[in-house]
Amino acid sequence: MITNRVEDIIPMVMAHNPDQPEFLQAVTEVVGSIQPFLRQNPSYLKANILDRITEPDRVISFRVSWFDDEGDIQVNRGYRVQFNNAIGPYKGGLRFHPSVNVSILKFLGFEQIFKNALTGLPMGGGKGGANFDPKGKSDNEIMRFCQAFMNGLANFIGADVDVPAGDIGVGSREIGYLYGQYKKIRGPFEGVLTGKPLIFGGSQIRAEATGYGLIYFVVEMLKVRDDSLAGKSIAISGSGNVAQYAAEKAIELGGKVLTLSDSSGTIYDPAGIDAEKLAWVMELKNERRGRIREYAEHFDVEYYEGARPWQIGRYDIALPCATQNELDGEDAEALVENGTFLVAEGANMPSTPEAIKVFHKKKILYGLGKAANAGGVAVSGLEMSQNSMRLSWSREEVDRRLKNIMVDIHNQCVEYGTQGNYINYVDGANIAGFIKVADAMIAQGAV
Ligand code: NDP
Ligand code: 2IT
């Protein structure tokens, strides 16, 4: 079916992917926001870019069988979605979480196309993972799972083909095991994964990059209204990689971080989480792999079982850093009602469409994930460059480049998203990312 009318694309994608709500949500957001631009630039419709860009190049699925500590064989399903490589090798994280399915990985891979384009680095879009639950697994079980996962994936990736990294449930420990197994199977010592430990090709600042980048983006958003982070009260959800380093940088710049959470509940610390308390959280989460509830017991603050941060307190700034659809319309109403004037997303698609409508209607500053959390993949891109050159840059050098990239992404949002005296970051990021990828697709012909 030839779809060169912009209003036909959503029904077509729905008809082709009826059981993929997260993917449809991501497509609807992008297509909705670039519609006026496409009407003014019909060449993209003529080249049928929308049909092509919403269909992944391929979706790879494989069985992952591994031995648990009892000696029983467990089976999971592994995936890699190679979405689009118009501007560079497929690039995007791996998620290990029981909820992982094709819809979630396609939404993440689709978002990644535009996010990666915004960084200005040559990276296409991809995503992968498995419906594996790392919670409660021993280190040996994690290693055997990673090895079995890589057995299924190794033949489809490579430093110039597809370069996975971390996401939920995948950090430098898992990347290390995956890298070892890739090398065992394929041979080359090459930059096939990013987020590697520093001792074998990892980049300085990669662990920090998503959280730091998010705060650098927030600083730019605040500058628009001649404001700064100093003294602002901040709600952060999650307590993993992104949340931890967003908190670290926010505290460093004078913000007061009041909350952290995990999938079991939220802690609210009215005195603010300072650097010392955050170091305790990092030890809890990264070494002991415990629950955030323990913070409330240790520091004697409130713990809200089963709750997310949004309706617990009053915050100037809200930074969702856990997972998709973790902030709904009601949460958005409550936040705005309680004075929140800036929301920026460390997670991918954490705000529901209803929440985004509230932010836009109330004209608060709203920085969507594909712009605000692009710092992680940006430093992954810098890790790829360093691996290719066989050298490594200093912390200061990588941090400086990360900052420049986040400022540049903010500038792109302003350029394409300014509507009267309001910056619509959703439209800005989607249009800026789309133009780069679509122009590359057109230049490469109908493939
Ligand atoms: P981590 O695994 O390090 O941490 C995830 C955090 O989110 C944990 O606190 C976890 O709680 C919580 N969480 C996960 N799933 C759910 C859920 N279904 N409901 C409630 N809480 C949940 O992952 P990251 O910090 O790396 O990733 C967080 C978000 O940031 C994701 O959306 C990811 O896609 C996005 N992102 C990550 C980047 C990276 O470089 N790592 C880059 C850009 C975006 P619990 O431990 O209880 O599961
Ligand atoms: O969502 C993301 O951008 C990531 N999980 C990071 C991807 C990467 O390749 O570093």
Side-chain angles (χ1 to χ4, degrees):
M1 175 171 64
I2 303 292
T3 308
N4 51 21
R5 283 174 5 121
V6 67
E7 52 282 351
D8 290 341
I9 189 72
I10 305 272
M12 188 211 71
V13 177
M14 277 182 179
H16 287 176
N17 307 280
D19 305 320
Q20 300 181 355
E22 293 86 1
F23 177 54
L24 291 173
Q25 186 181 333
V27 170
T28 304
E29 182 216 275
V30 171
V31 174
S33 78
I34 62 178
Q35 274 191 7
F37 171 81
L38 290 174
R39 290 208 179 84
Q40 287 158 12
N41 297 273
S43 59
Y44 295 114
L45 294 172
K46 196 147 189 303
N48 225 6
I49 295 296
L50 288 184
D51 277 29
R52 291 158 62 192
I53 211 167
T54 51
E55 189 64 30
D57 288 354
R58 62 194 65 77
V59 177
I60 300 153
S61 157
F62 47 93
R63 186 185 67 248
V64 184
S65 348
W66 54 283
F67 277 107
D68 66 19
D69 285 347
E70 273 68 59
D72 293 326
I73 299 178
Q74 300 278 348
V75 177
N76 289 96
R77 191 173 290 169
Y79 305 90
R80 186 72 182 164
V81 176
Q82 297 182 330
F83 221 117
N84 184 299
N85 64 355
I87 64 169
Y90 305 107
K91 181 86 196 84
L94 296 172
R95 178 176 290 190
F96 292 169
H97 193 272
S99 63
V100 161
N101 58 34
V102 173
S103 172
I104 288 179
L105 295 181
K106 279 177 67 182
F107 118 62
L108 289 162
F110 183 71
E111 295 258 294
Q112 202 82 43
I113 304 171
F114 306 99
K115 184 197 300 191
N116 294 1
L118 288 170
T119 67
L121 300 170
M123 301 182 288
K127 203 82 186 190
N131 63 345
F132 168 74
D133 189 358
K135 282 199 189 72
K137 301 291 188 297
S138 71
D139 196 56
N140 274 328
E141 287 178 321
I142 297 287
M143 181 178 71
R144 286 195 296 271
F145 179 80
C146 288
Q147 291 173 339
F149 182 86
M150 186 51 84
N151 289 344
L153 184 66
N155 285 323
F156 301 102
I157 60 175
D160 296 317
V161 179
D162 182 355
V163 183
D167 193 80
I168 291 176
V170 178
S172 71
R173 172 181 62 163
E174 290 74 18
I175 294 292
Y177 295 146
L178 291 163
Y179 192 76
Q181 188 70 0
Y182 175 84
K183 206 151 45 74
K184 183 100 187 158
I185 298 170
R186 294 285 301 271
F189 193 104
E190 59 174 3
V192 64
L193 292 160
T194 60
K196 298 182 288 297
L198 291 174
I199 39 175
F200 54 90
S203 175
Q204 297 284 351
I205 306 282
R206 176 61 189 88
E208 296 88 338
T210 312
Y212 280 18
L214 172 67
I215 300 301
Y216 295 152
F217 194 84
V218 168
V219 166
E220 293 308 301
M221 294 172 83
L222 288 166
K223 269 191 203 160
V224 171
R225 31 182 282 174
D226 288 326
D227 208 343
S228 80
L229 210 56
K232 297 291 182 302
S233 56
I234 304 171
I236 296 181
S237 66
S239 48
N241 173 269
V242 178
Q244 290 171 17
Y245 288 104
E248 181 169 285
K249 186 55 77 176
I251 295 165
E252 189 187 313
L253 298 183
K256 187 171 179 188
V257 177
L258 296 174
T259 67
L260 286 172
S261 70
D262 59 23
S263 57
S264 311
T266 295
I267 60 102
Y268 180 91
D269 187 339
I273 299 164
D274 60 18
E276 215 171 291
K277 292 174 182 170
L278 183 63
W280 188 91
V281 171
M282 288 188 178
E283 205 265 330
L284 170 76
K285 284 291 171 182
N286 309 343
E287 312 295 329
R288 288 194 282 129
R289 300 188 187 267
R291 309 303 297 159
I292 201 66
R293 173 180 35 79
E294 296 169 47
Y295 181 103
E297 289 154 14
H298 189 79
F299 293 107
D300 194 23
V301 301
E302 282 302 315
Y303 172 67
Y304 297 82
E305 175 79 27
R308 300 175 297 201
W310 321 127
Q311 302 198 33
I312 291 176
R314 298 173 74 88
Y315 322 106
D316 298 317
I317 293 174
L319 306 175
C321 295
T323 193
Q324 65 275 356
N325 293 326
E326 57 163 317
L327 196 165
D328 62 21
E330 245 178 59
D331 296 325
E333 295 279 5
L335 282 171
V336 175
E337 194 76 10
N338 285 318
T340 299
F341 68 88
L342 189 157
V343 176
E345 299 178 335
N348 286 306
M349 208 170 75
S351 305
T352 64
E354 294 72 31
I356 297 173
K357 263 187 216 130
V358 173
F359 299 147
H360 281 159
K361 200 168 122 227
K362 299 287 167 71
K363 292 233 161 39
I364 69 159
L365 297 167
Y366 166 60
L368 75 172
K370 65 170 82 71
N373 73 34
V377 76
V379 173
S380 277
L382 300 177
E383 183 172 328
M384 289 168 72
S385 305
Q386 293 169 78
N387 291 166
S388 297
M389 292 187 292
R390 298 182 193 283
L391 52 76
S392 49
W393 291 324
S394 67
R395 239 183 118 77
E396 293 68 32
E397 173 73 17
V398 179
D399 198 32
R400 185 183 62 76
R401 286 176 185 262
L402 169 62
K403 227 177 257 174
N404 287 343
I405 290 171
M406 297 315 296
V407 170
D408 180 60
I409 294 175
H410 188 270
N411 289 342
Q412 294 176 63
C413 292
V414 172
E415 181 177 349
Y416 291 99
T418 299
Q419 299 165 359
N421 57 7
Y422 183 64
I423 301 168
N424 185 322
Y425 288 88
V426 177
D427 290 357
N430 285 329
I431 294 169
F434 176 84
I435 290 172
K436 289 185 191 176
V437 179
D439 286 350
M441 289 171 72
I442 290 172
Q444 291 170 34
V447 289

